Each structure stands twice: as C-alpha cells, then as structure tokens.
Amino acid sequence: MLLTDRLAPAFGAVAGGPVDPVVRRSQHADFQSDAALALARRLGRPPREIAAAVRDRADLADLCSSVQVSGPGFLNLTLSDAALAEMVGGLAGDPRLGVPAVARPETVVVDYSAPNVAKEMHVGHLRSTVIGDAVARLLEWSGHRVVRANHLGDWGTPFGMLIEHLVDLGEAEAADDLSMGDLDAFYAAARAKFDADAGFRDRARLRVVALQGGDPDTRRLWRLLVDLSEHYFLTVYDLLDVTLTDRDFRGESSYNDLLPEVVADLDRLGLLRDSAGAACVFPPGSVGRDGEPLPLIVRKSDGGYGYPATDLAAIRQRTGELGATRLVYVVGLPQRRHFEMVFAAAGQAGWLTAPARAEHVGFGSILGADGRMLRSRAGGTVKLQALLDEAVARATELTRTRNPALGAAEAAEVGRAVGIGAIKYADLANDRHRDHVLDWERMLSLDGNTAPYLQYAYSRIRSIFRKAGVTVRPDAPVPLAEPAERALALELLGFAPVVAEVERGLEFHQLAGYLFRLATTFNAFYERCPVLRAEQPVRDGRLLLADLTARVLRQGLELLGIRTPERM
Ligand code: ARG
C-alpha cells in the first residue's frame, strides 16, 4: 500500500539496506509501522531513535495529518481525510483491491494433504488439506508460481500385507470395498490376518520383496490399491472444495529411483555414519533428551529406505529440478522434529541453501466437544467424508429454516457453501499451533467469528444492490464525515497489509481476524449510516463503501477457500 511504499525508502536509508516497514492497522492511530523494533536490534540503536529518523526522512506530508513515534518505537500514522478518500477511491478501480502482485515471484512447493494409501484420511489430514489449500491459493494470488505436492503415503512394508489381502479377497471384491471409502476396514482386516496367521505373514514378506524388485504383477496390484485410494481422496477433495487434483499426487514412491543417488551423495559428502547397521546423518543441533546427537536414518539396516530418505530426495528434486526457493510443509506438529532434522541434513548436503528455504507449517489437533481426540461413536477414527456430509446436512437444514423462500436446489448449494465454509473457517480462524474443538453450534452460528457470519454479511450487501436495482459508481466521492464511514474506509485499506503479512508468516487467523473486523465494522456502519435513503452524493459514496466491503470479503474468503453465495 501507499504508506508502505513511502516508508520503505526512509527505512532503507536509515538501515542502509532494504527493510519491510510492516504496516498494520493500529488501535492508537490509523496505521502503525513496527519495523523500527526489529531494525534496532539489528543496528544496535535505540528503536525510538530509529523511528524518529524514519519519521524525519519519510515523504508523508501529503498523506498524513500526523506521524508520531510512540511506545517502544512504533510509528503511528494518521491519514488526512483527503488522502484516505483518494486511497479508498483507488481501490474501486483495482481488481486486486490494493494488493500488489509480489515484486519477486518465487517457485513455491506446497506439500499438503498427504494421506496414506488404504488408510482413512484422519482429521490431521483434514487440517493439512484446509490450511495447505489456503497457502496455495494465497501464494498463487500473490503472484508466485505454486506447485501443489500431495506427498501421498504410497510405499513401505505394509503394502505386502495389503496386496496379499487384496489377492485373498479377489480384485473385484476389494475394489468394491475400497471404492466405498471403507479404507480402514480393509487395512484392519489385512492387519488382523498378518497378526494371526504365520503363513499370511510369510506371503506378505515375499510380496514386499517382489514389490521392491519390480515384479510386474505385484506392481499392477499395488497400482490398483493406489488408484482406488486416490479415487476416494479425490471425492473428499471435491466435497471439500479444494484445489488439489489428480495431477498433484506426488507419492513417496515417485522418489524411489532417486534414493540410491541421495545416499551416494550424502556418502560422498562424508555425512553418513553407521549406527547399528543403519546409514544415518547426524544433523547439527538435533539432540535427544540425554544430550546425545539424534540420527536421521536414511537407509535402514535391512537396506530399505524410509520416510526421511524420501523427504531428502523430495527436497533435492524440488530445489534442484523444479528450482523452488520456498518449500512449505503443512504437516501436524508431531512431525516437527522430523522436519527440523530433514531440513538441517538437506542444508548440509547443499540441497537447501539460500535463497532456498523450507518451513514447517505445523498445526495442532482437532478435538471433539468433550475436549478429547475426535472419535467416532464406535470409538474409531472419524470418517472424514461422514464429517463433511454432516456439516453440509446441518447447514442445509439451517438454511432452509432461515430462508424458506430459497428453492431446494439453491438451499442445497448454499448449505454446501456454508457447511464446508464453516469447517474450513473454524480451522483457519484459530491460531494453527493450538488444538481446536469441533463445535457444530459455534461454527455454524451467524454470530461471532464464523464463516456464516462473513458469508451473511456478504450476501446482505449483495441484496442491497439487488433489491434497489442499483449499481456502483466507481468514481463516487468517498464520504468520511461520519466516524463509522471513516472507520470502514480505513478497514478497507487494511486488506493489503494483512495479505502481505500472511504471505510471510502463513498465519491465516490474521486474515480471518481481519475479515471479521471488516464485517463487524461494516455492520456498525450500516446501522448508523442509511445507504439507499441518503442524499446524493453521499448515497453513491456509501454504496461504493458497501460494494468494496463485499469485494474484499469475497476475495478474502476465496483465499481461505470459502465460497460466498449471493443469497442465503
Ligand atoms: N503421509 C504422512 C502422514 O500421514 C504425511 C506426509 C507429509 N509430507 C511429507 N513430505 N513428509 O503422516
């Protein structure tokens, strides 16, 4: 935004190098910049002194009625009404609503969803899918080249027993079971045989050897299992309305051929050490509770490769072949240590060096209403499809009772948008590091920080235009006489800085919190400032503010993967 553009050169001059001014909405002024604090640490100078130097240098006279150093070293910026009106007016003709495309687009790999073949997707995969999809959408909209990588768990020793179980059942029967999405039952039945029957165990072991050796019939059966599971996952993605497609599957198996090279490279670099027959890397900085360095096992003592080796091969391929400079891993917090070690080892091997970097976007669990891990009534894992179906059914029911005038087809469509939106929003609106409780009442409520609240605010604005049969005049003068108008105008300018902030830190609750504030500010404005009954030119100006609010809500929710029905 304009304030950022004006502050950046001043910060740059004071710092002697580029600095992001980190402009955000402020409670004490219109906007504030916090960058002096971090810069002070870097330069070893008092932050207030830096803030004052920036204030003296920055070219803000035509924009701000006041620029003040406050607190530990914030710069508080108050816009003049003329500048505010001008800036908001500028949003009207801008399809990107003030959000510039990034100056230096990167190739970013977003590794997300990643369920496991022949296993039910659990709520951890749901969170990964929802958060990862928001990451992909936002980075793409910001102008980066995004590669979606669905690191499907499609390899490993369990495939011996899974294939043998498939052979026992007969292919047709197995295909039937799996296409019903009953993945866990299939897996459990294979496991039960494996545990109880020594003969089956032997067959399963031989099968693993045949699979690794590339035996054509075994490969075909394996592929069948993978295809059936992928088909099921795609139905879940479709229901969930995420952007993942069949072209995004990059299963663990796709790195198999690279694994020997990865190990050879590590060996040549002198990074491998033997630990009880296994080939390991000991990345710096990873120590166990006893203070001993922790091994990252790249080749097991039986010669097989495991999860870490595959992730190393994937990094090598993503930075090397794909030329990615930002690698994002949307995976639950329990895997934090794994990624720390893998990233460190990849750095040592030279596969992850600046400007390329990797980040683990971790998240907590989804808990049931009782505050415990989410379980089905029978005590097993919750079937994701059933959870989503329930969300849609509940939302459709609520839509029908709230608005009986909607036809059945439209009510179903609105129900889908609201139900799925509620699930996604409840996930994204919370600090992702924390566990969050799945509470149907709360997430489907029209009050509070929920998807339905935002969707309703959007549809209400749309209905103003529809009912009055008016369109927006993009060049209407922005009215600022009423405090509620000024507050809304400022909130609209806050979209660009919040998108920039989320682009950096991938903390989506900041975007959700912003959209919630925007909707709340709009509702306060709408209560105090009549729109259609106002005199011209205020009427057109207020319509402009209303239209901009709707556009920001729609764009913001779209970045979160949430639809905005025109009526609800
Ligand atoms: N399939 C794994 C799981 O279910 C997640 C994989 C995450 N991605 C990765 N590159 N390791 O836990």
Side-chain angles (χ1 to χ4, degrees):
M1 70 178 300
L2 206 46
L3 289 173
T4 310
D5 301 344
R6 295 290 183 85
L7 283 168
F11 269 109
V14 172
V19 176
D20 184 334
V22 200
V23 172
R24 64 176 105 226
R25 286 276 286 123
S26 166
Q27 307 197 327
H28 311 290
D30 293 344
F31 288 92
Q32 72 184 54
S33 161
D34 301 351
L37 299 176
L39 187 57
R41 255 172 273 135
R42 227 175 74 197
L43 299 179
R45 283 172 57 188
R48 287 185 61 99
E49 191 183 302
I50 293 186
V54 171
R55 178 198 55 202
D56 295 343
R57 272 180 175 271
D59 172 20
L60 293 167
D62 60 328
L63 298 184
C64 294
S65 56
S66 136
V67 181
Q68 267 167 355
V69 176
S70 91
F74 304 129
L75 263 183
N76 284 356
L77 308 157
T78 305
L79 290 173
S80 72
D81 279 359
L84 177 55
E86 167 96 23
M87 286 162 81
V88 173
L91 297 183
D94 179 1
R96 294 188 57 90
L97 295 159
V99 182
V102 286
R104 272 160 307 171
E106 294 187 88
T107 296
V108 186
V109 175
V110 186
D111 184 312
Y112 71 109
S113 195
N116 302 309
V117 165
K119 271 197 187 168
E120 183 57 55
M121 281 172 98
H122 54 66
V123 287
H125 296 117
L126 172 68
R127 289 206 82 176
S128 172
T129 308
V130 168
I131 299 170
D133 209 50
V135 172
R137 286 168 188 263
L138 185 120
L139 294 181
E140 209 155 58
W141 194 63
S142 297
H144 297 293
R145 190 174 87 86
V146 171
V147 178
R148 292 165 172 76
N150 194 343
H151 197 83
L152 192 69
D154 65 355
W155 200 253
T157 43
F159 282 89
M161 72 176 193
L162 291 169
I163 293 172
E164 282 308 319
H165 180 52
L166 180 134
V167 170
D168 285 357
L169 280 180
E171 290 175 34
E173 174 75 36
D176 248 23
D177 284 8
L178 288 170
S179 62
M180 302 279 289
D182 212 351
L183 275 52
D184 270 350
F186 186 91
Y187 195 97
R191 179 87 232 175
K193 276 199 260 176
F194 187 89
D195 289 340
D197 178 346
F200 183 85
R201 243 180 344 257
D202 287 338
R203 274 162 54 203
R205 290 206 181 98
L206 288 174
R207 211 34 115 165
V208 175
V209 176
L211 181 64
Q212 284 165 347
D215 168 59
D217 196 47
T218 301
R219 282 285 175 138
R220 187 184 61 79
L221 294 168
W222 166 79
R223 191 67 242 174
L224 184 63
L225 276 177
V226 175
D227 284 346
L228 289 164
S229 299
E230 285 185 353
H231 180 81
Y232 169 68
F233 298 142
L234 286 167
T235 54
V236 174
Y237 297 151
D238 186 50
L239 196 58
L240 202 50
D241 196 13
V242 292
T243 58
L244 279 171
T245 70
D246 56 343
R247 293 182 305 280
D248 303 319
F249 287 116
R250 289 156 190 261
E252 295 179 17
S253 68
S254 64
Y255 301 97
N256 281 351
D257 294 346
L258 304 173
L259 299 175
E261 285 171 42
V262 163
V263 175
D265 279 0
L266 293 170
D267 199 19
R268 203 169 31 245
L269 292 162
L271 293 172
L272 285 189
R273 268 169 48 200
D274 179 275
S275 173
C280 303
V281 180
F282 288 84
S286 293
V287 288
R289 236 168 268 165
D290 52 5
E292 289 297 307
L294 288 173
L296 186 69
I297 301 175
V298 289
R299 196 182 51 221
K300 295 181 264 187
S301 54
D302 65 3
Y305 304 96
Y307 190 55
T310 306
D311 264 322
L312 285 172
I315 292 182
R316 186 171 167 271
Q317 194 245 6
R318 289 169 186 180
T319 57
E321 220 171 289
L322 300 177
T325 47
R326 187 175 184 185
L327 307 183
V328 179
Y329 291 82
V330 188
V331 187
L333 283 171
Q335 294 194 37
R336 185 159 91 191
R337 170 83 78 182
H338 164 77
F339 285 110
E340 266 168 23
M341 293 177 72
V342 167
F343 298 164
Q348 283 184 293
W351 301 324
L352 191 61
T353 48
R357 70 262 183 232
E359 55 207 294
H360 174 211
V361 173
F363 50 81
S365 316
I366 302 185
L367 307 177
D370 56 1
R372 316 242 305 250
M373 292 296 275
L374 201 62
R375 294 252 165 264
S376 70
R377 272 188 212 97
T381 42
V382 174
K383 259 188 86 174
L384 209 51
Q385 198 173 354
L387 186 83
L388 302 179
D389 285 342
E390 178 164 358
V392 173
R394 282 176 184 258
T396 307
E397 188 51 39
L398 284 171
T399 305
R400 278 221 203 87
T401 39
R402 274 178 204 146
N403 190 350
L406 292 182
E410 192 173 354
E413 190 156 333
V414 171
R416 203 183 140 176
V418 171
I420 298 301
I423 294 254
K424 288 183 172 180
Y425 194 83
D427 191 322
L428 293 163
N430 284 293
D431 179 346
R432 61 177 153 79
H433 299 95
R434 295 218 292 257
D435 294 345
H436 93 81
V437 174
L438 192 109
D439 178 342
W440 291 113
E441 297 283 317
R442 227 189 57 199
M443 69 191 198
L444 286 168
S445 165
L446 278 180
D447 292 314
N449 190 7
T450 65
Y453 176 78
L454 298 177
Q455 289 168 317
Y456 184 69
Y458 173 82
S459 71
R460 194 151 81 128
I461 299 174
R462 279 286 167 252
S463 77
I464 301 173
F465 285 90
R466 202 171 40 241
K467 284 185 190 140
V470 289
T471 48
V472 64
R473 242 189 67 208
D475 57 347
V478 177
L480 295 173
E482 292 288 331
E485 293 169 335
R486 196 169 196 284
L488 182 56
L490 281 171
E491 216 53 79
L492 288 165
L493 288 184
F495 187 46
V498 85
V499 170
E501 200 170 344
V502 177
E503 199 252 326
R504 288 188 295 265
L506 305 179
E507 304 282 359
F508 284 88
H509 68 283
Q510 293 170 333
L511 177 56
Y514 164 76
L515 295 172
F516 179 56
R517 267 196 321 277
L518 176 65
T520 313
T521 309
F522 174 81
N523 288 339
F525 156 85
Y526 197 52
E527 241 167 60
R528 258 153 254 162
C529 305
V531 174
L532 294 170
R533 282 179 286 112
E535 301 284 338
Q536 290 296 22
V538 173
R539 180 182 194 256
D540 277 352
R542 288 183 179 166
L543 281 168
L544 180 71
L545 288 175
D547 181 63
L548 277 172
T549 303
R551 284 172 58 199
V552 171
L553 285 175
R554 184 175 56 202
Q555 182 62 56
L557 286 171
E558 193 180 311
L559 295 178
L560 299 179
I562 297 172
R563 289 186 192 251
T564 38
E566 292 294 304
R567 303 194 289 183
M568 60 183 271

